[in-house]
Amino acid sequence: MNNNIISNTKGSFVVSLDFELMWGVRDDVTKAAYGKNILGVHSVIPRLLSYFNKYDISATFATVGFLFFKDKDELLNHLPEQMPAYDNPNLSPYGNYLEMMVGCNHEDDPYHFGWPLLKMINESKGQEIATHTFSHYYCLEEGQTLNDFKGDLHSAINIAKSRGIKIETIIFPRNQVNEQYFDCCIEAGINCFRNNELSWIYKARRYKGESLSRRFIRLADAYLKLTGNHCYTDSYMASSFPYNIPSSRFLRPFSSKLKWLDWLRLKRITSSMTYAAKNNLTYHLWWHPHNFGINQDENFAFLDKILNHYQSLHKKYGFISCNMSELSQRLKDSYGK
């Protein structure tokens, strides 16, 4: 679905990554089942930054606030006063999980600490550090409240500020965008967020409310153009505030079972990128660093093809790379708040 196809000043290629380590999956998988993916992030991030530098890519790294801390004692001393009271207690990282499952620091527990990686990102040209909330907060789950969210976001903004990082962008964990929380985001200085693709199969839901049918159609849509290009005009993204910079495509990781379809997966992405470049629209690709945690050579070879295609579009159509805050600034300059 392509909305209001009117030319922007420029076509844009936006990349965002949800940087979360074990905090993003701890309620769904175990270290035994997924630990290799998480540990792999510690080599994935430097490799990503090298690729982004090579191809002149600006990206947004939406980071769980817990990853800003250098050790457990510092983390425990900066917990919000009000924590989410989910109906399902397994959704909360506080209490027993934080006390029993989390180690002392990065060297002791690379599953839960990532400050050296975050510092590396912050020192890299063109890379934005955004918030993925403080605790990987679920904005649509039952039991949590607006005040819980305010406390969480306040903690995320403050720990980033203490590291000299200004937060202007939010990416909601599990894409649980909750419009009732936008005023709170604006008060905290948030200018933009990543929304979901504009199709019923991508509409935000509670995690356990997801259906197998929607999952299957989304998988098929990764290979076949079932729901359109998902490219966006500046006027559409600037039509509300915080600015809505929706996803175009989730970059699914390499699968040995589906590798024979990788040419279709690549075509699904590159054809929509071309459409965006030709029509001066924005194309937004996203994934998690831990998606690349295993099968790294295969995943980076696939990414290399995408970034090569971006460079071709840049030379031919003036397609430009920008992170979410850079795009947000362009929208502000053109349309105001």
Side-chain angles (χ1 to χ4, degrees), residues 10-15 51-59 126-127 266 269-278 281-285 287 301-323 326 330:
K10 305 171 184 176
S12 303
F13 179 48
V14 176
V15 171
Y51 271 65
F52 291 166
N53 182 63
K54 175 183 176 181
Y55 288 102
D56 199 20
I57 298 295
S58 296
Q127 310 311 312
L266 181 64
I269 293 169
T270 56
S271 64
S272 293
M273 288 174 64
T274 301
Y275 182 85
K278 287 182 175 180
L281 305 172
T282 289
Y283 184 86
H284 187 169
L285 185 69
W287 70 99
F302 193 86
L303 178 62
D304 192 69
K305 292 176 182 177
I306 294 172
L307 300 185
N308 261 305
H309 187 66
Y310 159 73
Q311 280 209 330
S312 297
L313 297 175
H314 173 68
K315 292 174 183 176
K316 188 172 183 179
Y317 300 105
F319 204 39
I320 60 168
S321 169
C322 57
N323 60 45
E326 290 170 340
R330 187 177 85 203

Side-chain angles (χ1 to χ4, degrees), residues 172-242:
F172 294 92
R174 302 227 168 115
N175 297 309
Q176 291 190 3
V177 176
N178 190 333
E179 295 183 6
Q180 295 179 14
Y181 293 179
F182 284 179
D183 285 346
C184 174
C185 292
I186 294 170
E187 291 171 4
I190 299 295
N191 295 321
C192 64
F193 70 101
R194 188 184 72 208
N195 209 341
N196 304 312
E197 294 96 317
L198 301 178
S199 168
W200 68 273
I201 66 171
Y202 297 106
K203 186 176 180 180
R205 288 187 180 182
R206 297 187 181 100
Y207 187 59
K208 295 302 182 182
E210 192 52 86
S211 66
L212 288 176
S213 60
R214 285 214 323 167
R215 291 178 189 271
F216 176 78
I217 298 172
R218 286 202 300 268
L219 176 61
D221 193 40
Y223 295 87
L224 304 170
K225 193 181 292 185
L226 301 181
T227 62
N229 289 304
H230 298 291
C231 301
Y232 310 98
T233 64
D234 278 11
S235 59
Y236 173 76
M237 293 184 289
S239 61
S240 59
F241 192 80

Side-chain angles (χ1 to χ4, degrees), residues 22-186:
M22 198 70 193
W23 301 109
V25 296
R26 45 151 292 279
D27 57 304
D28 196 42
V29 297
T30 64
K31 286 183 184 178
Y34 203 71
K36 289 183 179 179
N37 288 74
I38 300 301
L39 293 179
V41 172
H42 294 273
S43 56
V44 165
I45 294 289
R47 199 168 175 181
L48 277 172
L49 293 173
S50 177
Y51 271 65
F52 291 166
N53 182 63
K54 175 183 176 181
Y55 288 102
D56 199 20
I57 298 295
S58 296
T60 293
F61 287 79
T63 306
V64 171
F66 287 164
L67 297 182
F68 283 82
F69 295 101
K70 299 175 183 178
D71 57 52
K72 186 173 180 177
D73 287 341
E74 185 185 30
L75 193 164
L76 291 174
N77 286 330
H78 288 82
L79 298 183
E81 293 183 6
Q82 185 165 334
M83 301 174 194
Y86 302 111
D87 286 1
N88 176 3
N90 186 51
L91 296 177
S92 175
Y94 298 107
N96 288 338
Y97 186 88
L98 185 54
E99 294 173 9
M100 304 296 295
M101 301 300 292
V102 179
C104 296
N105 51 40
H106 170 75
E107 290 78 13
D108 177 60
D109 184 1
Y111 297 94
H112 294 97
F113 291 94
W115 171 247
L117 297 176
L118 192 53
K119 186 172 182 289
M120 190 183 303
I121 295 166
N122 192 43
E123 293 172 352
S124 298
K125 178 184 176 182
Q127 310 311 312
E128 174 194 12
I129 293 176
T131 187
H132 203 36
T133 72
F134 187 68
S135 63
H136 204 255
Y137 188 100
Y138 303 125
C139 293
L140 294 179
E141 299 297 338
E142 295 179 347
Q144 57 82 34
T145 67
L146 173 61
N147 284 334
D148 295 342
F149 176 74
K150 284 182 178 180
D152 183 278
L153 185 60
H154 180 76
S155 293
I157 298 294
N158 281 349
I159 185 57
K161 184 178 180 180
S162 74
R163 301 287 190 244
I165 298 169
K166 183 180 180 182
I167 299 296
E168 299 179 318
T169 300
I170 187 169
I171 292 178
F172 294 92
R174 302 227 168 115
N175 297 309
Q176 291 190 3
V177 176
N178 190 333
E179 295 183 6
Q180 295 179 14
Y181 293 179
F182 284 179
D183 285 346
C184 174
C185 292
I186 294 170

